[in-house]
Amino acid sequence: MGDIENTCASLRAQIAATEAQLAGLKRELESAEQEAIKARAPDALNLAPTVSNQCSEKRRWPLLDEEYRRYGRQMIVPQVGLQGQLKLRSAKVLIVGAGGLGCPAAQYLAGAGVGTLGLVDGDTVESSNLHRQVLHRTKNVGKLKVDSATESLRDLNPHPTYIAHRAHLAPSDAAEIFKNYDLVLDCTDNPATRYLISDTAVLLGKPLVSASALRTEGQLMVLNNPPRPVGDKTGGPCYRCVFPRPPPANSILSCADGGILGPVVGTMGVLQALEAIKVITAADDAVQPPSLHIFSAYSSPLFRTIKLRSRRSNCAVCSAEASVNLETVKSGSTDYVFFCGSVSPEKLLSLEERISPLEYRAKYPLESSREAIAMGRKEPMIIDVREKVQFDICNLENSINIPISSILSSSTTKSQNGDGPSPLPPWLPADIASSESNDPIYVVCRLGNDSQIAVKRLKELGLDRGGERVVADLRGGLRAWREQVDPEWPEY
């Protein structure tokens, strides 16, 4: 056993050394490529006189020969032209988030020839990212997203300068990072960071392209455009102007919880890149009125546009009455987590009302119902409160599906005279509600949060028979089931 462990340790060390060597070679290659580009003009001076004159004449053109070939198709578009291409080459764009939105946005901005592209992200690549985060590759699973993205972008276009900010955006660092860029793209997926990005962009005078996507829908806005000083009513609205109050924290769904179609988030990221190009190449007097663009993949038409108001007169960051400034952001006085609320795991039940998957399996080992009856053991009822689409992916044997949305859609009501039993909702199966049944009820969900809510609801309906009947949830949900009981359980 010791020899095998030593061999594994040796192989890991060799892999780490090889990866370090490869990273060094890539850095050397990048430096050599940059030096080669810089060396083109001086080398031309050493050619014969006639050729030298031709090269001298070529150097009068503002772009390199290869750049004309690379960007020619977009330069002949009237809205871009040569001047627009030069603006793109001198532009510095910051993308916050190298995920489903940031990947396609970065791809198209790099392809378009944006001179400097910065990426901010502290996450690493996971296999669950790959269906939608198109810059990352299977070989880069476990690698920082900004490094994985930069690697792909350099393969696509070596001309831009790529800057990796290898950490999540923090209030203390946001202003220092933003000040070096001309335009910011918000490609994040949580309200607290969105408010931080918008506030910092407004306070530093940076236009902001913001987007979001979930399931089959997306939203897109260009904010703080034109980027006027705080208190100037002619400036574009900010994120706080559109959403003065964040949504309730417990109503926020992530892609991991709500799901996402890759082309949906890809569409929104591509549109962010398009809006960024429009902002960069636009004439000073060609600012479009602020709008909220709503995309829905399964609707007709696919897009709807809502006109936005100008800056709010009482906005906390961009009005004359602003209470948010760079100092309050940097010092933490503007608490974004407190403002938006934090969603911590539900702790609605006592320890007696919960059971771990390991404890459940020990209490109810795999055996036939006949064997259980012969041993005088009551068969438990398992209620899976995930939505049907998740239940259909994988489910526990003999479990029934009652989606949490159905449970929450009905309220607990008292009888008219107030002393009778509560009427039972239609989603509750008759065999569970039967007064003759005292079989234990266990509720399971994906992570162990919705199941607690469901247990509380079942007890409010009196299904625990005043404590005579076991009604509990599986602590940690099906993720814990995979970890403790069945390692082959699908992880999605």
Side-chain angles (χ1 to χ4, degrees):
M1 188 66 180
D3 292 340
I4 296 175
E5 291 178 351
N6 291 336
T7 301
C8 291
S10 175
L11 290 172
R12 290 192 194 99
Q14 291 180 48
I15 290 171
T18 304
E19 288 178 343
Q21 184 180 9
L22 178 61
L25 291 172
K26 287 182 177 179
R27 287 193 295 269
E28 292 178 16
L29 175 61
E30 181 184 350
S31 300
E33 288 173 340
Q34 295 296 328
E35 291 299 323
I37 293 173
K38 294 177 182 178
R40 287 176 185 172
D43 288 346
L45 297 177
N46 299 325
L47 300 177
T50 55
V51 177
S52 177
N53 291 338
Q54 292 174 0
C55 291
S56 177
E57 185 176 339
K58 284 183 179 179
R59 287 198 303 277
R60 290 186 303 155
W61 305 114
L63 298 176
L64 299 173
D65 287 348
E66 202 275 330
E67 289 179 295
Y68 280 102
R69 290 190 295 271
R70 181 181 287 265
Y71 309 126
R73 299 298 187 275
Q74 73 183 28
M75 282 196 293
I76 60 177
V77 175
Q79 288 87 343
V80 179
L82 176 61
Q83 293 306 312
Q85 191 61 49
L86 292 174
K87 288 180 179 179
L88 287 170
R89 190 168 73 164
S90 63
K92 298 179 180 179
V93 178
L94 179 68
I95 298 176
V96 185
L101 293 168
C103 282
Q107 245 178 333
Y108 276 95
L109 290 175
V114 167
T116 300
L117 208 54
L119 293 101
V120 180
D121 203 308
D123 285 337
T124 57
V125 180
E126 299 177 3
S127 58
S128 61
N129 302 147
L130 300 177
H131 88 281
R132 67 193 183 279
Q133 300 181 14
V134 293
L135 276 179
H136 308 308
R137 299 292 179 263
T138 301
K139 66 177 182 178
N140 285 341
V141 169
K143 193 172 187 176
L144 281 169
K145 285 185 178 180
V146 289
D147 292 333
S148 172
T150 300
E151 178 184 307
S152 295
L153 293 173
R154 284 201 179 100
D155 287 341
L156 173 66
N157 189 353
H159 293 289
T161 298
Y162 301 105
I163 301 174
H165 302 275
R166 299 175 179 88
H168 293 298
L169 188 68
S172 57
D173 303 323
E176 191 65 23
I177 294 173
F178 280 34
K179 71 178 185 180
N180 298 315
Y181 295 91
D182 309 312
L183 174 68
V184 180
L185 271 64
D186 179 357
C187 299
T188 62
D189 61 358
N190 69 87
T193 307
R194 290 191 187 119
Y195 282 102
L196 167 61
I197 292 170
S198 175
D199 291 354
T200 308
V202 169
L203 296 171
L204 291 177
K206 313 292 184 182
L208 171 65
V209 183
S210 178
S212 62
L214 184 68
R215 290 178 173 162
T216 62
E217 299 181 345
Q219 295 183 353
L220 173 74
M221 298 178 290
V222 179
L223 301 169
N224 197 41
N225 189 43
R228 301 284 186 253
V230 170
D232 188 335
K233 296 181 180 179
T234 64
C238 70
Y239 195 82
R240 287 183 187 265
C241 293
V242 183
F243 303 110
R245 289 286 177 267
N250 58 7
S251 70
I252 303 299
L253 279 178
S254 66
C255 290
D257 294 327
I260 183 69
L261 279 183
V264 171
V265 70
T267 296
M268 304 317 297
V270 170
L271 288 175
Q272 281 186 280
L274 176 61
E275 292 297 333
I277 291 171
K278 288 163 61 179
V279 171
I280 294 168
T281 60
D284 294 337
D285 57 350
V287 176
Q288 295 182 337
S291 300
L292 170 63
H293 304 287
I294 301 174
F295 172 77
S296 181
Y298 286 84
S299 296
S300 183
L302 293 173
F303 287 94
R304 290 185 298 123
T305 297
I306 300 173
K307 291 183 179 179
L308 298 177
R309 297 176 180 177
S310 56
R311 288 181 170 180
R312 285 181 177 266
S313 59
N314 62 345
C315 178
V317 68
C318 67
S319 72
E321 304 175 8
S323 58
V324 177
N325 55 53
L326 286 176
E327 184 55 38
T328 66
V329 172
K330 188 174 182 178
S331 66
S333 299
T334 301
D335 191 332
Y336 292 96
V337 174
F338 177 79
F339 176 64
C340 296
S342 61
V343 181
S344 57
E346 297 279 0
K347 294 183 180 178
L348 303 177
L349 305 178
S350 65
L351 290 176
E352 293 74 22
E353 297 173 292
R354 313 197 73 189
I355 186 172
S356 73
L358 196 60
E359 293 168 335
Y360 176 88
R361 178 47 70 220
K363 192 170 186 179
Y364 302 102
L366 289 172
E367 57 191 10
S368 69
S369 298
R370 184 175 300 175
E371 291 173 331
I373 293 172
M375 296 175 66
R377 180 161 48 236
K378 294 179 179 179
E379 277 293 275
M381 295 182 178
I382 303 176
I383 299 176
D384 189 325
V385 296
R386 294 174 298 158
E387 296 302 313
K388 184 179 184 300
V389 66
Q390 295 191 47
F391 184 80
D392 289 343
I393 293 173
C394 54
N395 55 76
L396 295 175
E397 187 177 358
N398 298 324
S399 61
I400 64 171
N401 183 216
I402 305 178
I404 189 66
S405 58
S406 299
I407 296 174
L408 295 177
S409 65
S410 62
S411 58
T412 305
T413 57
K414 299 290 184 183
S415 62
Q416 290 184 354
N417 59 16
D419 56 3
S422 301
L424 296 176
W427 50 262
L428 190 62
D431 57 340
I432 293 180
S434 172
S435 59
E436 299 177 359
S437 174
N438 253 0
D439 293 342
I441 299 174
Y442 292 97
V443 185
V444 66
C445 66
R446 189 179 181 193
L447 301 175
N449 296 327
D450 289 342
S451 58
Q452 296 184 69
I453 299 172
V455 167
K456 296 282 286 185
R457 181 76 176 95
L458 293 174
K459 288 192 171 185
E460 289 171 1
L461 293 170
L463 267 69
D464 62 338
R465 313 274 190 260
E468 295 181 2
R469 186 183 193 183
V470 173
V471 180
D473 91 311
L474 265 66
R475 187 170 62 246
L478 292 170
R479 178 172 293 178
W481 183 272
R482 172 185 168 87
E483 295 170 354
Q484 300 177 22
V485 176
D486 184 3
E488 294 183 1
W489 185 266
E491 182 177 15
Y492 63 93

